[in-house]
Amino acid sequence: MATLQEKLAEQIPKSRQKVKAFAKEHGAKEIAKVTVAQFLGGLRGVYGLLCDTSVVEPDKGLIIRGHPLLEIKDKWPEEIFFCLLTGEFPDEEAKKSLQQDLDKRSYVPEYVWDVLESMPDDSHPMAMLNTGILVLERESVFRKMYSEGMTKEQYWIPALEDALQILAKIPSIAAGVYRLHYNKGDIIPWTPGLDLGANYANMLGVPDPTGEFAELMRLYLTFHSDHEGGNVSAYTCYTVASALSDPYYAVSAGLNGLAGPLHGLANQECLNWILELMDEFGGVPTKKQIEKYTRDTLAAGKVVPGYGHAVLRTTDPRYTGFLEFGKKHIPEDPVFKTVATVFEVVPNVLKEFPKIKNPWPNVDAGSGSLLFHYGLREFEYYTVLFSVSRAMGMLAQLVLHRGIGTAINRPKSLDFNRLSSLV
Ligand code: HAX
């Protein structure tokens, strides 16, 4: 089978032609309308961008290139990345070639560590990760080739080059952030020949005598890799890259969005909520106690972290996947047991509030309990794990957009007077 680069070289010119011809033929046709509620409500449900890597069906959840997530959950993250980009899973040869490519690119220059080491102790790990990516921007091949002059048809080539560099380095930077920020000792280097998930697990330095933590990391990286195009991180990356800012700028910007409590940061808040709940009742709480605690959270005007979603209207399959992992490997763990019992209580409480459109758990509701069990107990760090994964989706989308030549993003804003005049 062809390598990733060869496959894309074959596919991208065809996609570009297809989209161009489609725009020419159907350009004047209307495909979407927008209500005032949508206009003022984060454009929820408004069709506004093309994204071929994945779709999120409200009643099914994440589908990567036609594959429902739980059907491909045992694929390795690098296979998922290949599939996000090309729509196909690599055979053994192509997978090996991608792994070797990542091995070659995995080295993180010393100046990155110098910058990260000089950051104040109370810097958030997400700020450290994003700084690490941004400081690497000087390496951008896209920026170099753009300034030297290249054709639009060539944009995707250096974009892919930068994407592979970021993908290969982000696990090392993220693991380095963990070890620096939490004083875990020396930075552990990337091990050539080891897959992305196991490598990341190993570089974090979390003891893993059973190999289960590496298995969890593979699952974690696969599950968070992409969630179509309109979520805050992907959409931010898309917008920044549409200005032809290079992938280092664009991914760093996307991850800054992931650092928000309603998006990626929710995973650190979820485990906090679970542990505080356990603290309040002195161990694994009963269903009645969970119900009371949920009601108290809502009465205090707070959200129940890990529940609800902008698009999903069912249990997130990513949550289901993590729950299955926990049931298989750590069914007696008290924090995991609490998470599983919360699932039996919280949706019924949230259903009483008609304004909450989705009472079901999202990806963040369960993963923290698994990380906690295996010894990764620094909640503030959890969004960094999410970032290592989501970089795959953002980068894949970015390369494909440069491939088809997507225009600079520029929706029209209206002032309130103009908006009022339209109703
Ligand atoms: N607890 C309490 N209230 C909730 C809620 C929850 N879990 N989920 C939604 N609501 C509330 C909203 O705050 C909103 O209230 P107001 O109208 O008073 O502002 C109302 O219900 C309508 O919200 P919605 O239409 O159902 O949901 P949104 O699309 O606006 O928001 C969120 C989706 C995920 C942000 C929301 O459900 C939430 O805040 N959940 C808790 C935080 C969380 O788990 N975030 C992680 C999401 C997964 C993710 O993207 N990770 O990156």
Side-chain angles (χ1 to χ4, degrees):
M1 188 178 184
T3 63
L4 181 62
Q5 286 87 341
E6 289 164 353
K7 196 108 213 126
L8 286 172
E10 177 202 322
Q11 291 180 344
I12 281 181
K14 290 182 195 154
S15 306
R16 192 181 181 90
Q17 269 322 104
K18 187 174 74 178
V19 173
K20 229 172 148 181
F22 186 83
K24 199 167 168 203
E25 187 179 350
H26 301 292
K29 291 182 187 159
E30 188 177 280
I31 55 161
K33 286 195 163 66
V34 57
T35 64
V36 171
Q38 289 172 313
F39 180 91
L40 295 174
L43 295 178
R44 207 67 89 253
V46 178
Y47 296 161
L49 72 158
L50 187 66
C51 175
D52 280 333
T53 53
S54 67
V55 292
V56 179
E57 298 285 5
D59 60 338
K60 294 195 186 81
L62 176 60
I63 298 171
I64 292 179
R65 292 284 194 167
H67 304 280
L69 181 70
L70 292 178
E71 289 177 16
I72 52 169
K73 71 180 174 56
D74 296 325
K75 294 281 183 194
W76 286 7
E78 40 276 80
E79 293 178 282
I80 297 285
F81 181 66
F82 193 107
C83 182
L84 286 167
L85 270 166
T86 65
E88 294 169 31
F89 285 109
D91 62 11
E92 276 312 307
E93 194 190 339
K95 181 170 144 186
K96 198 158 185 216
S97 150
L98 176 57
Q99 278 191 301
Q100 285 170 347
D101 196 358
L102 295 176
D103 280 347
K104 279 191 222 132
R105 298 171 190 270
S106 62
Y107 173 73
V108 176
E110 217 36 59
Y111 65 82
V112 174
W113 302 123
D114 291 344
V115 170
L116 296 185
E117 278 169 15
S118 72
M119 288 179 78
D121 290 346
D122 60 355
S123 301
H124 194 283
M126 279 299 286
M128 294 179 76
L129 176 73
N130 292 348
T131 301
I133 295 169
L134 205 50
V135 82
L136 274 171
E137 191 278 335
R138 62 183 288 283
E139 316 262 344
S140 174
V141 179
F142 184 90
R143 178 158 65 87
K144 185 166 179 285
M145 281 185 65
Y146 188 84
S147 63
E148 286 169 4
M150 64 177 153
T151 65
K152 289 180 179 172
E153 287 73 20
Q154 290 174 315
Y155 286 172
W156 73 269
I157 299 168
L160 177 64
E161 183 64 25
D162 284 357
L164 288 166
Q165 290 289 348
I166 294 171
L167 188 68
K169 293 181 189 343
I170 195 170
S172 305
I173 298 173
V177 164
Y178 179 70
R179 297 191 66 78
L180 282 174
H181 190 70
Y182 300 107
N183 298 316
K184 297 283 180 183
D186 290 345
I187 283 166
I188 302 171
W190 174 276
T191 308
L194 212 55
D195 66 273
L196 208 70
N199 233 321
Y200 186 27
N202 185 52
M203 289 188 293
L204 285 166
V206 173
D208 187 23
T210 60
E212 281 173 24
F213 184 64
E215 188 185 332
L216 176 61
M217 281 298 101
R218 279 188 209 108
L219 208 60
Y220 201 98
L221 296 186
T222 296
F223 279 10
H224 293 81
S225 59
D226 202 41
H227 223 223
E228 63 176 42
N231 63 79
V232 167
S233 45
Y235 193 61
T236 303
C237 178
Y238 164 83
T239 300
V240 173
S242 80
L244 299 187
S245 301
D246 64 57
Y248 293 88
Y249 284 126
V251 167
S252 166
L255 294 180
N256 288 332
L258 199 73
L262 295 187
H263 192 16
L265 202 77
N267 62 7
Q268 84 172 47
E269 305 209 332
C270 283
L271 189 58
N272 253 331
W273 190 84
I274 295 286
L275 294 180
E276 281 168 16
L277 161 69
M278 293 178 72
D279 227 32
E280 171 105 358
F281 298 108
V284 179
T286 63
K287 288 188 186 177
K288 240 191 159 92
Q289 289 169 330
I290 294 172
E291 182 176 335
K292 178 181 179 312
Y293 197 78
T294 305
R295 291 190 189 284
D296 289 349
T297 299
L298 295 169
K302 297 181 195 157
V303 294
V304 179
Y307 283 77
H309 199 269
V311 177
L312 286 171
R313 296 295 175 258
T314 188
T315 296
D316 190 331
R318 301 171 297 177
Y319 173 81
T320 308
F322 283 133
L323 197 70
E324 282 170 6
F325 181 97
K327 283 182 177 164
K328 181 173 162 201
H329 293 297
I330 56 165
E332 294 310 320
D333 180 278
V335 182
F336 174 72
K337 267 179 145 167
T338 303
V339 163
T341 319
V342 162
F343 179 37
E344 293 172 29
V345 176
V346 165
N348 289 330
V349 178
L350 297 184
K351 276 181 205 166
E352 291 171 21
F353 298 82
K355 72 167 186 177
I356 301 177
K357 298 193 191 68
N358 177 36
W360 302 106
N362 61 56
V363 63
D364 295 328
S367 54
S369 65
L370 307 177
L371 299 169
F372 192 78
H373 173 87
Y374 290 103
L376 213 159
R377 297 192 163 190
E378 295 81 4
F379 314 152
E380 262 201 333
Y381 184 76
Y382 290 179
T383 314
V384 174
L385 296 162
F386 194 154
S387 303
V388 174
S389 171
R390 186 51 62 88
M392 286 195 280
M394 288 193 288
L395 288 166
Q397 292 184 23
L398 185 157
V399 171
L400 294 179
H401 279 298
R402 296 292 69 75
I404 58 174
T406 303
I408 185 168
N409 199 28
R410 185 34 168 116
K412 175 74 182 151
S413 62
L414 303 177
D415 64 19
F416 194 74
N417 287 340
R418 179 82 192 279
L419 171 65
S420 311
S421 75
L422 293 176
V423 296

